[in-house]
Amino acid sequence: QVQLAESGGGLVQSGGSLRLSCAASGQIFVDTFHVGWFRQTPSIDREFLAAISWGTASTRVATFVKDRFIISRDTQNNMIYLQMNNLKPDDTALYFCAGKDGSGGLAYALGYNYWGQGTQVTVSS
């Protein structure tokens, strides 16, 4: 079992930045574990943003945020980060980190076994 806990959300003005953190604990299989970031709004259910390999740090980032969002990890401290720059009001959402074993289907929420509770990001215009 793996536990994930997000933090770092809040209220920010349009054009600002936030760094979300995801603390991971439990039994992590380094060679296969991947962590993804998703967001959810009342109209969009679990939209994929980015994912990273725990072992190799290889990343996949959704095209529509790749110029603004950066995913990274710190395996010494079991942390995964999502740096979000130039935030827009449309980025307002509940942000989740999620974990899975294996690299297939990283953009699909249904494939993730472990989820945090989410952290709210609100971007004001």
Side-chain angles (χ1 to χ4, degrees):
Q1 288 291 324
V2 175
Q3 294 78 43
L4 301 171
E6 305 92 339
S7 62
L11 175 65
V12 63
Q13 287 190 328
S14 181
S17 297
L18 278 177
R19 188 177 79 159
L20 304 183
S21 300
C22 175
S25 60
Q27 191 171 24
I28 296 172
F29 294 99
V30 172
D31 291 340
T32 61
F33 196 64
H34 288 72
V35 177
W37 283 98
F38 293 79
R39 67 186 184 188
Q40 180 175 309
T41 68
S43 58
I44 300 176
D45 185 25
R46 306 284 171 119
E47 179 177 46
F48 172 76
L49 300 172
I52 190 165
S53 164
W54 192 269
T56 68
S58 64
T59 63
R60 178 177 174 180
V61 183
T63 302
F64 70 97
V65 295
K66 67 182 299 183
D67 292 334
R68 299 187 296 126
F69 292 6
I70 302 168
I71 187 170
S72 62
R73 79 342 181 197
D74 174 0
T75 55
Q76 277 198 318
N77 294 298
N78 284 3
M79 297 293 293
I80 304 93
Y81 302 103
L82 185 68
Q83 177 67 41
M84 305 188 295
N85 301 317
N86 191 21
L87 285 162
K88 307 172 184 179
D90 285 348
D91 294 317
T92 295
L94 184 62
Y95 284 70
F96 295 90
C97 64
K100 64 176 292 181
D101 289 307
S103 60
L106 290 176
Y108 299 96
L110 285 177
Y112 287 77
N113 305 104
Y114 311 105
W115 290 85
Q117 79 286 353
T119 185
Q120 178 68 37
V121 172
T122 303
V123 184
S124 63
S125 57

